Amino acid sequence: MAVETLATKYRPKVFGDVVAQDSIKTILMNQIADSTFKNAYLFTGSAGTGKTTCARIFASEINNHIGNPIEIDGASNNGVDHVRELAENAKRKSLDSAYKVYIIDECHMITNAGWNAMLKLIEEPPAGTIFIFCTTDPQKIPNTILSRVQRYDFTRISNKQIEDRLRYICDCEGYTLQAEIIQYITRLANGGMRNAITMLDKVL
């Protein structure tokens, strides 16, 4: 049986546990409170800044923690046929939740033909369907798509916030590390929380 990694074990399940990105969290939580969420979002930022984590939390909150979002890897499902299949599936109402939420990771890998097929889906989304696109490379996404999504730019996480999180994990796991080690891991992580926790896992 595989041992759960620290990055998975300590992945936030609610917005209150997400480190940094305060303004984004506030806006998304307000949309949930007011039921004013949109049909298409774009979460951009470097690796490990919380894009997919926040997408999952947002999807869960939208549906009052009932059901699961549909996660799609844009790198391996990037062609026009994949998008057409997605469009057909999106027409079917969710069986276990009020909204059918799609999280499409690495969406910058979608082909131009795929985006052209996606455009109609974004412009005329099936009722009760929400799309959350996540990417580290927004400049590869066509302007026709960028102008039709609500975009949020996730910033790199500060060294202090990463250090505090690593110390918290060490405390929870019953380990004590020298401050210099935690600081070194933090510098190597370059603003990415997942990288920092993965390196901490190796050290422990």
Side-chain angles (χ1 to χ4, degrees), residues 50-63:
K51 301 181 299 300
T52 305
T53 293
C54 284
R56 288 174 176 171
I57 295 171
F58 190 45
S60 179
E61 292 283 352
I62 285 172
N63 281 316

Side-chain angles (χ1 to χ4, degrees), residues 70 85-95 99-100 102 126-129:
I70 301 165
E85 182 181 353
L86 185 156
E88 283 301 312
N89 291 335
K91 292 177 184 176
R92 304 187 187 99
K93 191 179 186 304
S94 174
L95 297 176
Y99 291 89
K100 204 169 192 178
Y102 287 88
T129 303

Side-chain angles (χ1 to χ4, degrees), residues 61-146:
E61 292 283 352
I62 285 172
N63 281 316
N64 294 313
H65 310 288
I66 298 171
N68 294 300
I70 301 165
E71 298 195 35
I72 296 173
D73 176 18
S76 55
N77 297 276
N78 58 2
V80 63
D81 290 338
H82 294 110
V83 175
R84 285 174 179 162
E85 182 181 353
L86 185 156
E88 283 301 312
N89 291 335
K91 292 177 184 176
R92 304 187 187 99
K93 191 179 186 304
S94 174
L95 297 176
D96 59 2
S97 57
Y99 291 89
K100 204 169 192 178
V101 184
Y102 287 88
I103 298 175
I104 304 174
D105 219 346
E106 303 296 333
C107 68
H108 59 274
M109 300 292 287
I110 296 174
T111 64
N112 286 333
W115 279 123
N116 287 336
M118 188 74 76
L119 182 60
K120 184 172 178 59
L121 191 57
I122 293 174
E123 287 181 325
E124 301 174 13
T129 303
I130 296 171
F131 299 96
I132 306 175
F133 300 96
C134 300
T135 181
T136 56
D137 215 351
Q139 61 268 26
K140 292 184 178 178
I141 299 173
N143 289 329
T144 51
I145 299 295
L146 293 175

Side-chain angles (χ1 to χ4, degrees), residues 27-28 30-39 41 58 150:
I27 294 170
L28 296 179
N30 285 341
Q31 288 188 7
I32 291 164
D34 300 335
S35 295
T36 55
F37 26 81
K38 312 303 178 185
N39 72 283
Y41 294 84
F58 190 45
Q150 193 166 92

